[in-house]
């Protein structure tokens, strides 16, 4: 039975209701969490009893002849910034340590309705601010490929859980790369949908104009399955868009013959690890050998994307995080004497250093006298970034780039230098600024650690992204590689 761990859901599913029950499948994953999570530390909360009950309820439905819902019995993990009814949702922050939401996020509700079973809530950088999970208020997660290395972030717990066989799939959130970068560092598939494709209702807000929820899975087919379940307009989120959700699975098989793939030269320049460059260029040659047409394109605004993002994301964060004042949510300082000290002490005690840094930067960028020069300017540059992508997509169907300039770095290596940490997302951030869909798929190794290929598509064209990613995956074996913790 333990041979099921690390096997994609679509391969296990035909056995459900025959020689395998949902309960047995869930038990296998709970066993893996028990065995390994002491060293990986992917989870902040494990909801074992609830998972068992949900799995048994599904088994009863199956036994009574009901048809299998699309994700029946799929053992999933949820990033701990997604609200779960009755289950603590910390956002990786001490300030939300006692917070128990009264409702499920829409994406979570849809997953459950599709039959998925939630195993628990995964670790993240506090309020999703970071690229390594080292900013978590509850200690870092480790990379299942090497416990001395970071799993990436901020959805590092979700990525590590899937890579370590502690969940078959997970949800993450991506504001500047937080699904794709940890997917890349942990050797799994991670997709950030187009802004508006998936409802953000119940996702604790970091930067509302950039945040999106998306799947993290062992392969592209599972990714399509999860994306299908969570996509679509939601009346609870006015930024979710009412466009048809195509059948992502049906479009997987089309191949890449004639698909035009753009290589933006700027994404292969300074700062890119030579082994990562080599792996990504090899992946592009594979696509070419399958019939794709590759050409170079230009994205000259890349160099402005990082500073633009850090102005906009911090400005939005300073506004969104104003609600944590010790009154309505989460923890409250015991040392408050009046209203002012209640605010000040609750925040001083509850927020970690990175969150404080960003609130201060964002408040500054929005303040009178600086707003025009910083926030407004950043919004204007954001438009230029979007136009650069639009121009590229007049010539090509998808862009291919590295997901991250380096494979995993060591724990502690970048914590003292915020700029070094921010550079981990230099290739993913422009995609959020433009609101486009992007996916990271495993494409090799650098010094024994996984490397990801990023594919970026036109707005609401996740179907093409998945088709190209699937064609690549079918032609290669990288997605079958498993972390050492899983092989032992
Ligand atoms: N690492 C980036 C940041 O720290 C992106 C985080 C994210 O996508 N949530 O803001």
């Amino acid at each position: 039975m333990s041979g099921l761990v690390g096997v994609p859901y679509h391969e296990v599913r035909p056995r459900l209701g025959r020689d395998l029950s949902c309960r047995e499948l869930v038990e296998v994953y709970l066993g893996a969490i028990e065995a390994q999570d002491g060293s990986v530390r992917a989870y902040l909360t494990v909801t074992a009893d609830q998972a068992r009950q949900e799995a048994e309820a599904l088994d009863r439905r199956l036994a009574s002849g009901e048809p299998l819902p699309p994700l029946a019995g799929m053992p999933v993990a949820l990033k701990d910034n997604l609200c779960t009814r009755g289950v603590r949702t910390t956002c990786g922050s001490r300030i939300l340590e006692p917070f128990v939401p009264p409702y499920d996020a829409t994406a979570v509700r849809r997953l459950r309705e599709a039959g998925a079973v939630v195993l628990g809530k995964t670790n993240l950088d506090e309020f999703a601010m970071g690229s390594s999970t080292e900013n978590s208020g509850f200690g870092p997660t480790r990379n299942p490929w090497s416990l001395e290395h970071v799993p990436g972030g901020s959805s590092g717990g979700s990525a590590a859980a899937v890579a370590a066989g502690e969940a078959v799939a997970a949800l993450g959130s991506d504001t500047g790369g937080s699904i794709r970068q940890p997917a890349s560092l942990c050797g799994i598939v991670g997709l950030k949908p187009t802004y508006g494709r998936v409802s953000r209702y119940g996702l604790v807000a970091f930067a509302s104009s950039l945040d999106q929820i998306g799947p993290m899975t062992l392969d592209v087919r599972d990714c399509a399955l999860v994306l299908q379940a969570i996509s679509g307009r939601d009346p609870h989120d006015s930024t979710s868009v009412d466009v048809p959700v195509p059948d992502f699975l049906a479009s997987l098989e089309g191949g890449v013959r004639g698909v035009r793939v753009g290589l933006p030269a700027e994404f292969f320049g300074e700062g890119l690890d030579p082994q990562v460059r080599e792996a990504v260029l090899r992946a592009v040659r594979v696509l070419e050998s399958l019939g794709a047409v590759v050409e170079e394109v230009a994205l000259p605004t890349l160099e402005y994307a990082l500073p633009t993002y850090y102005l906009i994301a911090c400005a939005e964060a300073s506004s969104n995080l104003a609600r944590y004042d010790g009154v309505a949510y989460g923890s409250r300082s015991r040392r408050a004497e009046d209203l002012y000290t209640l605010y000040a002490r609750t925040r001083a005690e509850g927020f970690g250093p990175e969150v404080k840094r960003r609130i201060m930067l964002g408040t500054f960028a929005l303040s009178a006298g600086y707003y025009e020069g910083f926030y407004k300017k950043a919004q204007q540059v954001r438009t230029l970034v979007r136009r650069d992508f639009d121009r590229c997509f007049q010539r090509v169907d998808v862009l291919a780039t590295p997901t991250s300039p380096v494979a995993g770095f060591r724990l502690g290596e970048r914590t003292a230098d915020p700029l070094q940490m921010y550079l981990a997302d230099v290739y993913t951030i422009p995609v959020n600024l433009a609101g486009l869909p992007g996916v990271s798929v495993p494409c090799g190794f650098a010094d024994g650690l996984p490397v990801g290929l990023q594919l970026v598509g036109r707005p609401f064209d996740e179907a093409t992204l998945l088709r190209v990613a699937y064609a690549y995956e079918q032609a290669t074996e990288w997605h079958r590689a498993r972390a050492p913790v899983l092989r032992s």
Side-chain angles (χ1 to χ4, degrees):
M1 213 52 101
S2 65
L4 287 169
V5 160
V7 180
Y9 175 75
H10 65 86
E11 289 179 18
V12 175
R13 182 181 162 90
R15 293 180 50 187
L16 287 173
R18 298 175 187 216
D19 67 334
L20 181 69
S21 68
C22 296
R23 168 70 199 255
E24 284 165 333
L25 183 59
V26 161
E27 209 56 57
V28 166
Y29 277 88
L30 289 173
I33 295 172
E34 181 95 354
Q36 280 156 205
D37 208 47
S39 47
V40 177
R41 298 196 174 277
Y43 284 88
L44 292 175
T45 304
V46 178
T47 50
D49 292 341
Q50 198 177 327
R52 289 187 176 106
Q53 282 165 20
E54 283 171 21
E56 280 169 14
L58 277 160
D59 285 328
R60 282 195 295 275
R61 280 169 56 191
L62 297 186
S64 71
E66 270 188 54
L68 274 181
L71 306 182
M74 180 190 243
V76 298
L78 303 172
K79 186 175 183 177
D80 205 23
N81 59 355
L82 289 160
C83 285
T84 40
R85 185 176 176 175
V87 175
R88 177 176 96 117
T89 299
T90 67
C91 235
S93 183
R94 292 283 172 191
I95 211 162
L96 278 179
E97 196 171 0
F99 175 54
V100 178
Y103 68 103
D104 275 340
T106 297
V108 173
R109 176 174 60 75
R110 288 183 173 169
L111 268 191
R112 290 194 207 274
E113 283 168 4
V117 175
V118 174
L119 301 178
K121 310 291 299 287
T122 54
N123 197 15
L124 66 155
D125 289 294
E126 185 174 6
F127 284 99
M129 297 174 185
S131 308
S132 68
T133 75
E134 290 165 298
N135 293 339
S136 168
F138 304 96
T141 297
R142 290 160 186 273
N143 191 320
W145 290 87
S146 156
L147 297 176
E148 269 73 67
H149 287 82
V150 302
S154 62
S155 314
S158 285
V162 174
E166 299 179 18
V168 81
L171 291 185
S173 68
D174 190 313
T175 306
S178 280
I179 289 174
R180 291 159 288 159
Q181 185 259 11
S184 168
L185 269 51
C186 289
I188 64 167
V189 175
L191 185 142
K192 181 198 90 74
T194 311
Y195 185 79
R197 173 64 94 188
V198 175
S199 167
R200 293 181 296 108
Y201 182 66
L203 168 68
V204 180
F206 161 13
S208 307
S209 77
L210 299 158
D211 300 339
Q212 267 291 291
I213 300 168
M216 306 177 78
T217 56
L218 289 162
D219 67 10
V220 174
R221 185 173 286 272
D222 274 4
C223 181
L225 274 170
V226 175
L227 184 64
Q228 196 79 50
I230 63 175
S231 292
R233 164 84 185 147
D234 172 20
H236 288 118
D237 172 8
S238 63
T239 64
S240 69
V241 178
D242 196 6
V243 291
V245 179
D247 184 339
F248 294 121
L249 279 177
S251 53
L252 282 185
E253 310 272 355
V256 291
R257 189 153 299 282
V259 171
R260 290 165 303 165
V261 177
L263 287 190
E266 296 80 0
F267 285 64
F268 292 86
E270 202 192 330
L272 177 60
D273 179 290
Q275 292 185 59
V276 174
R277 175 191 286 121
E278 192 40 50
V280 170
L281 292 177
R282 236 186 298 122
V284 172
R285 286 197 291 274
V286 170
L287 289 174
E288 207 166 21
S289 74
L290 296 171
V293 183
V294 178
E295 64 175 280
E296 214 174 88
V297 292
L299 240 148
T301 53
L302 175 70
E303 61 174 311
Y304 307 119
L306 202 69
T308 301
Y309 168 87
Y310 276 96
L311 283 167
I312 294 173
C314 293
E316 293 185 17
S318 82
S319 162
N320 275 326
L321 272 58
R323 73 191 68 177
Y324 305 107
D325 55 8
V327 179
Y329 307 92
S331 63
R332 173 180 302 177
S333 174
R334 285 180 216 278
R335 298 186 303 125
E337 288 140 21
D338 52 31
L339 190 62
Y340 178 79
T341 54
L342 171 76
Y343 291 162
R345 294 211 168 124
T346 296
R347 290 174 173 164
E349 292 164 19
F351 287 136
E354 181 65 21
V355 174
K356 287 177 182 161
R357 175 159 39 235
R358 295 199 189 194
I359 291 173
M360 286 191 284
L361 281 171
T363 307
F364 177 77
L366 287 174
S367 58
Y370 295 99
Y371 177 90
E372 301 274 323
F374 290 109
Y375 183 72
K376 188 164 165 224
K377 182 65 88 191
Q379 291 291 16
Q380 289 165 332
V381 178
R382 183 175 187 176
T383 302
L384 298 180
V385 173
R386 172 70 191 245
R387 283 195 196 144
D388 258 7
F389 278 107
D390 287 346
R391 252 193 307 274
C392 289
F393 286 121
Q394 284 170 6
R395 291 181 49 195
V396 299
D397 302 304
V398 296
L399 299 174
T401 80
T403 305
S404 157
V406 295
F409 41 95
R410 283 181 183 279
L411 276 135
E413 193 181 308
R414 298 190 177 200
T415 38
D417 184 349
L419 188 58
Q420 273 305 311
M421 195 64 96
Y422 295 173
L423 280 167
D425 291 299
V426 62
Y427 301 142
T428 46
I429 273 172
V431 182
N432 299 73
L433 288 174
L436 303 171
V439 65
S440 180
V441 289
C443 74
F445 290 89
D447 294 329
L449 295 170
V451 174
L453 162 74
Q454 175 176 239
L455 298 166
V456 182
R458 296 192 179 97
F460 297 101
D461 196 11
E462 289 86 0
T464 299
L465 273 192
L466 289 165
R467 178 156 59 91
V468 175
Y470 185 72
Y472 174 72
E473 199 180 76
Q474 291 304 103
T476 54
E477 291 294 320
W478 304 115
H479 64 291
R480 292 195 199 284
R482 293 291 177 263
V485 282
L486 244 171
R487 282 181 247 132
S488 58

